[in-house]
């Protein structure tokens, strides 16, 4: 195998690990929804704070993952400036920006007034 193939296979292996992180994020999101519901039904302040901490963790992890994909897209774009790489770079940049915005909202919205969804 040539070095490009080995590099791509290593990249795929790392991305497989990211899928495992996504599964953990989904489980945490499910649990945080339970806590949010508990807060609204029972006014449980502990659930509210735990919900906020979990969502902060979730969106911090997502921003890190999005940053990885942004870097990868930027590298592909620099190495091969074509229409598809331009579109991919644009899309990953927008996803990264959205993740940063959601993280900011979670950090600022202490009253749980805004619905934040993992998409």
């Amino acid at each position: 195998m040539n070095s490009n193939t080995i590099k791509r296979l290593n990249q795929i292996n790392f991305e497989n690990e990211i899928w495992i992180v996504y599964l953990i994020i989904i489980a945490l999101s499910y649990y945080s929804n339970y806590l949010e519901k508990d807060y609204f039904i029972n006014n449980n302040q502990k659930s509210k704070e735990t919900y906020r901490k979990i969502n902060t963790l979730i969106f911090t992890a997502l921003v890190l993952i999005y940053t990885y994909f942004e870097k990868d897209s930027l590298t592909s774009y620099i190495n091969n400036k074509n229409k598809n790489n331009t579109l991919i770079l644009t899309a990953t940049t927008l996803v990264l920006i959205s993740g940063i915005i959601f993280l900011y909202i979670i950090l600022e919205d202490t009253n749980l007034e805004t619905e934040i969804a993992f998409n």
Side-chain angles (χ1 to χ4, degrees):
M1 282 188 268
N2 65 37
S3 64
N4 286 339
T5 301
I6 292 171
K7 182 180 175 184
R8 182 63 183 130
L9 290 174
N10 287 335
Q11 185 179 19
I12 291 169
N13 287 335
F14 184 72
E15 290 171 3
N16 284 338
E17 292 174 16
I18 290 173
W19 284 113
I20 293 169
V21 173
Y22 272 129
L23 292 173
I24 293 167
I25 287 171
I26 290 167
L28 286 171
S29 296
Y30 188 84
Y31 181 59
S32 74
N33 276 351
Y34 166 80
L35 294 171
E36 182 183 24
K37 184 177 174 183
D38 181 49
Y39 165 69
F40 283 117
I41 292 172
N42 301 313
N43 198 28
N44 185 334
Q45 294 298 314
K46 185 177 180 194
S47 288
K48 175 185 175 182
E49 286 309 309
T50 304
Y51 163 84
R52 290 189 71 245
K53 288 177 184 175
I54 289 172
N55 277 347
T56 300
L57 174 67
I58 288 169
F59 280 91
T60 299
L62 289 173
V63 167
L64 292 173
I65 291 168
Y66 298 159
T67 301
Y68 165 78
F69 285 113
E70 171 73 9
K71 180 184 172 289
D72 184 55
S73 298
L74 183 59
T75 301
S76 294
Y77 174 77
I78 290 169
N79 292 334
N80 186 7
K81 295 180 182 180
N82 63 39
K83 181 180 177 182
N84 285 341
N85 283 338
T86 301
L87 292 173
I88 291 169
L89 178 59
T90 302
T92 57
T93 300
L94 294 173
V95 168
L96 177 59
I97 291 169
S98 74
I100 292 168
I101 292 169
F102 282 136
L103 181 57
Y104 174 80
I105 291 168
I106 288 166
L107 294 172
E108 292 296 315
D109 184 17
T110 59
N111 294 320
L112 303 185
E113 296 172 359
T114 309
E115 176 63 27
I116 301 294
F118 163 61
N119 295 319

